[in-house]
Amino acid sequence: MFASYAALVVVASHLNRVHKSISGNKDYERHALMNRLILMNDRDCRDQLRMGREAFARLVKLLRDTGRLYDSVFSNVEEKVAKFLYLIGQDARNRNVKFLFYRSGETVSRHFHEVLRAIISLHDIFLRQPNGLECPPEIMNNNKFWPYFKDCIGALDGSHFRVKVGNNIVQRYRGRKAFPTQNVLAACSFDLKFTYVLPGWEGSASDSRILDNALTMDLDKLIVPQGKYYVVDAGYQLRSGFLAPYRSTRYHLKEYSLRQPKNARELFNLRHASLRNAIERVFGILKKRFPILVSRAEPYYHVDTQANIVVAGCILHNYLMGIDPNEELIVEVDEELMREPISSDVAVSSQTQQCREGEILRERIATTFWRDYNTNND
């Protein structure tokens, strides 16, 4: 009997040593993986984490130094951020990161939401609406835009992102796509940074309805400084604060690639499209950089989390445009935009005072455009 007990003690001791050995191996593998991610060249780091090494190091430092993330007993901030970036940058599933980092599924999920909250808390630093006090340099330094668009502060549009919702509400989220989406309203500056983001609206909601909501919200309201405006597409009403193009007139840039504008309205639409193209580019870069936003499969996360992921992606995009913009990515997006089919969304016209003010502004700009265009070409 004593011999049997002794044998059990030996077996238990052996299993304990094996468990410690396995645990040690996992720590070693995880440490080796983090070293590879941090020490690899910039191209490989961008391929895996969607940003270069310096950008990653500075992001970690920002989150740690401001107390938004902390090292824990078993996980440091570098690992937490790397897992988050890998998930949104590779459209990976929890189980993939669980295997790669030798962590439990619960740990991966907990760290993901921890970093997501930390990134969103950077909102006031990286998502700032324009105050309208200065003309954007992209307008001021371009004689095609200056002084005609001197009061323009940015471009605004909506974009659809796939979501996962319950069957009881799925129809509300079905719009122009074959699958449920959220319609995200965003504004950007002409240096390709987001200045305002409103996620979470059902895919069936119209762009104009979402814009009206953004202008009347109690918190995080879209603010248009007095006398300033955003350029928008024909899916929005022409009104004070939002300058839309002429309808039933050539508009998209590719339409002017073979034939120059023939009148004031066509010239206005060409210059307007060149400015408004910024919002299409910024959405394209965002989706190209973070594939979780354009996954063909049903999203892993609930719609509320998906909305937060969009905001976090926009914040990270702005951070990277200031430190690691990735010019190759921007070129890819520009080439894809030129190949996209032309859309034809048109808002219902209105005769309100705000609309008439918008018409007066547009006609004045178009007339001045055409006069100067003909003078310079004489």
Side-chain angles (χ1 to χ4, degrees), residues 344-360:
S344 57
D345 292 343
V346 178
V348 177
S349 61
S350 175
Q351 295 300 317
T352 65
Q353 178 62 31
Q354 283 194 336
C355 291
R356 286 191 288 272
E357 291 174 358
E359 289 174 355
I360 293 171

Side-chain angles (χ1 to χ4, degrees), residues 176 206-208 233-238 244-249 252 343-349:
R176 64 185 67 178
S206 68
D207 290 342
S208 293
D233 68 15
Y236 295 92
Q237 287 185 359
L238 171 67
Y246 287 102
R247 298 172 184 169
S248 304
T249 303
H252 293 271
S343 61
S344 57
D345 292 343
V346 178
V348 177
S349 61

